[in-house]
Amino acid sequence: MNNIIVAQSGGPTAAINASLVGVIRGAKNSNRYDNIYGALHGISGVMNEDFIDLTQLGEEELNKIYYTPACYLGSCRYKMPSLDEGTEVFEKVFEILRKKEVSAFFYIGGNDSMDTISKLAAYGKKIGSDIKFAGVPKTIDNDLVMIDHTPGYGSAAKFIAQSMLEMAHDTAIYEVQCVTIVEIMGRNAGWLTAAAALARNEYSDIPQLIYLPEVPFDIDRFVEDVREELKKTRNVVVAVSEGIKNADGEYISATSAVSDKFGHAQLSGAGKCLEGIIKDRLNIKCRSVELNILQRAAAHSASKTDLDESLSLGEKAVEYALEGNSGFMPLLVRTSDEPYAYSYEIGMLSDIANKEKQVPTEWITESQNDVKPELVSYMKPLILGEVSIEYKNGLPSYMEIPHLTGK
């Protein structure tokens, strides 16, 4: 038999299932594979031999999965050991792959997921395995290197821009001076927070201030920035990344030394922290809003550009694997901002895993409290287009997930 396995890992997005559909369609249309297995809950599902058969999914079901948010196959945060330390783990995985007669393994995810599939590819090469390993990119953080932007980012950016525009209307109705601080996800990369700038239009300059984690955050300077904006308007809205750090590299919002399995600090509270500072120092009404998981799977405001690119990258991963490639990730390489255009290339996982793409500092203003037009031009095409979603009883009708919920 000539079978494939596809799995999803890391945080959910509005576009990750479009990538899954791309892999499934690519495999089906190739007529080169016998069975398509989905591993539930990422690499953990592979090791637990927890698979579902995706081979018989029809076009109607695939069309619905395409716009369904989060991870249809479930996810995990399992960290694979190094090749030297975890031989027994790799032996177990490859034994299962051989038992399932797998010729290709597609892993959809972000930075940590690329680390997982890169290690599997390296071990496969080490033992002379013919199995092809491919990473399929996704992450709202947009921090994978080599690729112009990652699937999932465009939809999250669109949600942030829409939410910010709606907040601009909300905050404009009162005559009382007020500061609103919007905390947006982004540990070390400020791509998501930068998307707030897309809300600005001919009648609103909200948010007036944007702070990214790529540059040091100075509390005194922040207070003065807000003070100056209040001289111009009664309403100031600030977009701030959860991962803003001071000059010593300490997170403003680090609640403790707690980290996840990949060593990432668990952050929350930057907005609340700054709310207290503004109230204390400026004696003015201030509130904070935290856009936490809301931006991860807001399929009702998904970008069609994002979902279509996600689907095409899933298809490209299958195409490149069939050409004999392994240990790779398909890339989008932008060739033009206006008109928006790109080409496809192959990037090796060994050059991608465990690296992080941040917002270039030359796209941040010298005052370090806003973004430059170049960054806005980069983001604009990624949020274009609306996805047609089926509705039932006034709510989106997504693909059912009994294999995850047990219902």
Side-chain angles (χ1 to χ4, degrees):
M1 301 292 286
N2 190 23
N3 306 322
I4 72 168
I5 286 178
V6 58
Q8 299 168 312
S9 181
T13 81
I16 188 173
N17 286 332
S19 295
L20 173 63
V21 171
V23 171
I24 296 171
R25 280 186 179 160
K28 282 188 167 189
N29 293 338
S30 73
N31 294 315
R32 299 271 295 275
Y33 298 112
D34 298 299
N35 296 293
I36 305 168
Y37 297 118
L40 299 183
H41 305 294
I43 190 64
S44 298
V46 175
M47 291 189 286
N48 294 329
E49 299 187 60
D50 194 2
F51 300 106
I52 60 173
D53 190 353
L54 304 174
T55 316
Q56 302 307 316
L57 287 173
E59 273 303 299
E60 184 176 342
E61 294 167 303
L62 291 176
N63 288 336
K64 203 165 189 176
I65 293 173
Y66 163 85
Y67 67 72
T68 294
C71 306
Y72 179 71
L73 297 176
S75 185
C76 72
R77 292 288 189 184
Y78 180 83
K79 182 174 177 61
M80 290 288 285
S82 67
L83 268 63
D84 296 330
E85 298 174 349
T87 302
E88 66 283 354
V89 174
F90 290 96
E91 289 176 347
K92 178 180 180 179
V93 171
F94 275 78
E95 179 184 351
I96 292 168
L97 297 182
R98 284 190 291 269
K99 184 164 62 173
K100 298 293 288 186
E101 299 182 278
V102 170
S103 59
F105 186 173
F106 300 91
Y107 208 45
I108 308 171
N111 218 318
D112 297 328
S113 304
M114 295 306 109
D115 173 71
T116 294
I117 197 69
S118 179
K119 287 174 178 175
L120 289 172
Y123 186 81
K125 182 178 181 180
K126 179 179 179 180
I127 64 174
S129 171
D130 291 330
I131 301 173
K132 309 303 179 189
F133 294 91
V136 183
K138 76 87 206 170
T139 173
I140 65 168
D141 295 320
N142 195 37
D143 60 354
L144 285 175
V145 300
M146 297 185 71
I147 193 168
D148 178 76
H149 57 277
T150 51
Y153 172 64
S155 292
K158 183 167 187 162
F159 174 80
I160 289 166
Q162 286 181 340
S163 299
M164 195 66 66
L165 178 58
E166 289 158 359
M167 279 187 262
H169 281 260
D170 180 286
T171 56
I173 67 174
Y174 298 110
E175 293 183 335
V176 177
Q177 278 200 318
C178 179
V179 176
T180 302
I181 299 171
V182 185
E183 178 186 334
I184 301 170
M185 279 184 170
R187 183 184 296 108
N188 297 316
W191 299 103
L192 287 169
T193 305
L198 295 171
R200 295 168 177 162
N201 56 34
E202 62 276 7
Y203 62 81
S204 173
D205 59 356
I206 284 175
Q208 294 96 336
L209 300 168
I210 298 176
Y211 297 93
L212 309 185
E214 282 81 359
V215 292
F217 183 84
D218 184 278
I219 290 177
D220 293 332
R221 186 169 58 195
F222 161 70
V223 173
E224 287 307 307
D225 289 344
V226 174
R227 194 194 306 274
E228 287 302 310
E229 290 299 325
L230 285 169
K231 294 177 181 178
K232 309 174 201 173
T233 178
R234 65 178 183 271
N235 223 356
V236 175
V237 178
V238 181
V240 58
S241 292
E242 63 174 349
I244 52 172
K245 300 178 284 290
N246 62 25
D248 295 326
E250 300 168 332
Y251 289 107
I252 299 295
S253 63
T255 55
S256 70
V258 175
S259 299
D260 64 16
K261 292 181 180 179
F262 292 88
H264 305 319
Q266 299 300 285
L267 307 178
S268 67
K272 206 64 176 174
C273 172
L274 297 179
E275 175 190 339
I277 290 171
I278 291 298
K279 286 180 177 178
D280 180 59
R281 297 203 191 180
L282 299 184
N283 191 28
I284 191 173
K285 179 181 178 182
C286 184
R287 57 193 167 187
S288 59
V289 178
E290 184 179 351
L291 294 186
N292 200 308
I293 64 171
L294 291 174
Q295 61 213 305
R296 298 202 304 186
H300 60 283
S301 63
S303 155
K304 192 172 190 304
T305 295
D306 187 27
L307 266 66
D308 286 347
E309 290 177 348
S310 300
L311 184 134
S312 68
L313 284 167
E315 293 175 330
K316 280 292 179 182
V318 174
E319 177 185 323
Y320 292 149
L322 286 170
E323 291 174 356
N325 297 289
S326 185
F328 72 92
M329 185 184 87
L331 305 176
L332 291 173
V333 179
R334 189 178 307 210
T335 55
S336 172
D337 280 338
E338 195 174 342
Y340 175 55
Y342 57 85
S343 61
Y344 296 99
E345 291 184 9
I346 289 180
M348 300 311 296
L349 289 168
S350 57
D351 296 325
I352 297 170
N354 300 309
K355 296 179 175 64
E356 188 174 50
K357 179 181 71 179
Q358 295 183 303
V359 174
T361 53
E362 59 266 28
W363 284 359
I364 301 172
T365 60
E366 287 73 15
S367 58
Q368 300 184 345
N369 61 12
D370 205 348
V371 299
K372 290 184 178 179
E374 292 88 342
L375 181 48
V376 175
S377 297
Y378 166 86
M379 297 185 291
K380 268 186 176 179
L382 310 184
I383 69 170
L384 295 179
E386 287 67 55
V387 178
S388 178
I389 294 178
E390 179 185 343
Y391 279 76
K392 182 179 180 181
N393 297 325
L395 295 174
S397 177
Y398 297 132
M399 188 67 176
E400 296 178 359
I401 48 174
H403 50 284
L404 298 180
T405 63
K407 298 179 180 180

